[in-house]
Amino acid sequence: MSGTELTDLQHQLHHGTLTCVARVEQFLATIESKKHLNAYLSVYGNEALERARVIDTKIKARTAGKLAGLVVGLKDVLAYQNHPLQASSKILDGFVSEFTATAVERLLKEDAIIIGRQNCDEFAMGSSNENSAFGAVLNEIDTTRVPGGSSGGSAVAVMADTCDVALGSDTGGSVRQPAAFCGIYGLKPTYSRISRYGLVAYGSSFDCIGIFSKNLKTLTHVLEVIAGADEFDSTVSHQPVPAYAQAIEQPAGPFKIAYLNEALHSQAVQPEIRQALKTKVEQLQHAGHTVTGIDFPLSEYILPTYYILATAEASSNLSRYDGVRYGYRSPHTTDLQSMYKKTRSEGFGKEVQRRILLGTFVLSASYYDAYYTKAQKVRQLIRQQTQKIFSHYDFILSPTTPTTAFKIGTHSNNPVEMYLADLFSVHANVAGVPAISVPCGTDAQGLPIGLQLTANDFNEAGLFQVSKVIQNLAG
Ligand code: GLN
């Protein structure tokens, strides 16, 4: 039921063949029956039902907003006033938001219904959702496997039909990678397309709010509502927001698409994913698009650049969790110093501590130039080289992930192995450009495969158009 396109859904709501209340009731029942997946940290049942009643009345009166009836879940990094917010961390135990994130505010203004808060990796650091203080999230297709991360709860929530759409965050792939593992769409827009006000900060120069949906068109409606200028975020773009839902209906193409030679030949990529990419390349060519293999010589530097800069920014952003201002404070303290130390040692999980240590190291006086400054320079190069590709091509096609969903525990003791899950997704964040993961079949075990399309700055409309082309190709 969550795959229904928004306008079809609203058609039924307007004709009274369906009500928001009935939908919310059904979603709540599904959440209950799929509790074992551990996708939700809080379910706002009564509140969602109450809102559904109000919106049903508005629909009858023809005064309902653009997203009337859409049921949305929020990754536990998005502020929603008077609701708990923890970034799946013990350090935010008991913390309640005092304001609402701009993106969420805009959803509410257009009469979307918020159904709950979704599990994720602690502070959005991870690729498997195993780093949550609330336990791992399970992939619905095979519950011995991870759903991807860090927005794993949100991806599973959409996949498992417990909401229509979910908002996640994507700093290095955290929307696209779990979308690929769960067989749904996941969009990371251009950096600054959506206000970050009310998004828990991880790596601020990378952080983007992203959207999960089973339905591509619904995703366009949501982006249209939440994107755009915001007085609360000085880094947000003032570029006008295009009519994405209209753009996706326009005839588009033929396109010029580049694919990464390396992805097609790399042994690190699962053979079935290589095959899926190859098939799409051939189908696109057959359909009249120009599809060419290219090399990206800087590709081996993307992942290290990301992990140096993202950890540096994280170490700074997370310094605010000191036991004084937010959530948890260790009860075992004797003085101020020990309060800081114990609170942070007890409140942060292992991976978050590792990132803070790594980030503090690369920012330390003796290593700053060797790591941080150098990584900043490499980031500029990567961005320039990426822009160069877009002077010749409309999109870059690649796998979203090197493998399909792996078994729980596979990489949890080897952080570098885990970081490799982000091989293809971090590029868009390092370059600041938009990218989408499109479901493209399954491997021999029936696990979803996702292919990724990346576009130049602010060409989300193009991404939607080419995703639709891919969706309509045979197979
Ligand atoms: N897996 C990456 C990381 O751990 C990306 C996370 C994200 O996009 N939030 O940093």
Side-chain angles (χ1 to χ4, degrees), residues 412-456:
S412 32
N413 292 320
N414 187 335
V416 175
E417 248 178 54
M418 187 70 88
Y419 300 167
L420 285 169
D422 308 324
L423 192 61
F424 298 113
S425 55
V426 294
H427 186 170
N429 305 78
V430 171
V433 295
I436 189 168
S437 181
V438 178
C440 280
T442 52
D443 69 4
Q445 290 164 288
L447 301 168
I449 293 174
L451 292 183
Q452 172 175 250
L453 287 139
T454 307
N456 206 352

Side-chain angles (χ1 to χ4, degrees), residues 103-435:
V104 178
E105 193 74 61
R106 290 182 182 172
L107 291 178
L108 292 168
K109 196 163 160 258
E110 293 299 339
D111 289 332
I113 298 164
I114 309 293
I115 197 151
R117 175 172 73 110
Q118 295 160 338
N119 202 346
C120 59
D121 280 305
E122 184 178 2
F123 283 101
M125 296 173 189
S127 311
S128 66
N129 217 128
E130 292 167 288
N131 301 335
S132 165
F134 300 100
V137 176
L138 313 183
N139 193 312
E140 197 194 16
I141 296 180
D142 174 349
T143 54
T144 66
R145 291 179 189 270
V146 305
S150 64
S151 318
S154 303
V156 168
V158 171
M159 164 200 218
D161 289 324
T162 67
C163 57
D164 292 306
V165 162
L167 293 192
S169 66
D170 191 314
T171 303
S174 280
V175 167
R176 289 158 290 150
Q177 189 251 15
F181 280 11
C182 294
I184 60 177
Y185 288 95
L187 172 79
K188 177 208 105 70
T190 310
Y191 180 77
S192 81
R193 180 70 294 187
I194 301 174
S195 166
R196 287 183 292 115
Y197 181 71
L199 169 67
V200 174
Y202 161 15
S204 305
S205 75
F206 301 89
D207 292 343
C208 286
I209 291 176
I211 309 166
F212 292 98
S213 174
K214 277 191 177 175
N215 187 290
L216 184 61
K217 180 92 185 273
T218 303
L219 208 155
T220 66
H221 289 289
V222 174
L223 182 64
E224 223 173 283
V225 166
I226 67 178
D230 174 25
E231 59 171 325
F232 295 121
D233 177 358
S234 60
T235 65
V236 78
S237 169
H238 285 243
Q239 285 221 23
V241 179
Y244 299 116
Q246 250 175 43
I248 198 177
E249 300 301 341
Q250 304 301 316
F255 294 119
K256 282 168 85 179
I257 304 171
Y259 66 88
L260 301 176
N261 284 325
E262 192 194 305
L264 207 55
H265 302 115
S266 162
Q267 292 308 311
V269 180
Q270 191 177 318
E272 291 132 310
I273 296 183
R274 291 209 302 260
Q275 188 53 48
L277 179 64
K278 199 161 166 246
T279 307
K280 280 300 163 237
V281 167
E282 287 163 4
Q283 288 177 335
L284 284 164
Q285 286 169 336
H286 191 73
H289 305 278
T290 308
V291 193
T292 318
I294 57 154
D295 293 320
F296 192 75
L298 292 175
S299 51
E300 63 178 303
Y301 301 107
I302 297 176
L303 207 57
T305 302
Y306 168 76
Y307 273 97
I308 289 171
L309 296 177
T311 53
E313 294 182 22
S315 78
S316 162
N317 274 327
L318 272 62
S319 63
R320 72 190 71 171
Y321 304 105
D322 54 8
V324 178
R325 286 170 283 193
Y326 306 90
Y328 178 75
R329 176 182 298 173
S330 171
H332 315 109
T333 61
T334 48
D335 55 19
L336 187 67
Q337 283 293 332
S338 82
M339 185 195 70
Y340 290 154
K341 279 189 189 159
K342 292 219 162 107
T343 297
R344 289 170 66 83
S345 307
E346 293 162 20
F348 288 131
K350 279 276 161 295
E351 183 60 25
V352 173
Q353 293 190 21
R354 180 180 294 123
R355 307 270 180 121
I356 292 173
L357 289 172
L358 204 61
T360 309
F361 173 78
V362 301
L363 287 176
S364 61
S366 349
Y367 295 97
Y368 188 90
D369 282 337
Y371 291 101
Y372 185 74
T373 310
K374 195 178 260 174
Q376 289 284 31
K377 290 180 181 163
V378 178
R379 184 180 192 183
Q380 277 317 309
L381 276 180
I382 292 169
R383 166 136 176 103
Q384 283 162 12
Q385 295 291 319
T386 308
Q387 302 269 285
K388 215 165 140 190
I389 299 177
F390 291 125
S391 62
H392 302 288
Y393 299 95
D394 302 311
F395 309 107
I396 304 171
L397 175 65
S398 69
T400 307
T401 56
T403 68
T404 52
F406 44 86
K407 292 259 186 195
I408 292 171
T410 312
H411 303 307
S412 32
N413 292 320
N414 187 335
V416 175
E417 248 178 54
M418 187 70 88
Y419 300 167
L420 285 169
D422 308 324
L423 192 61
F424 298 113
S425 55
V426 294
H427 186 170
N429 305 78
V430 171
V433 295

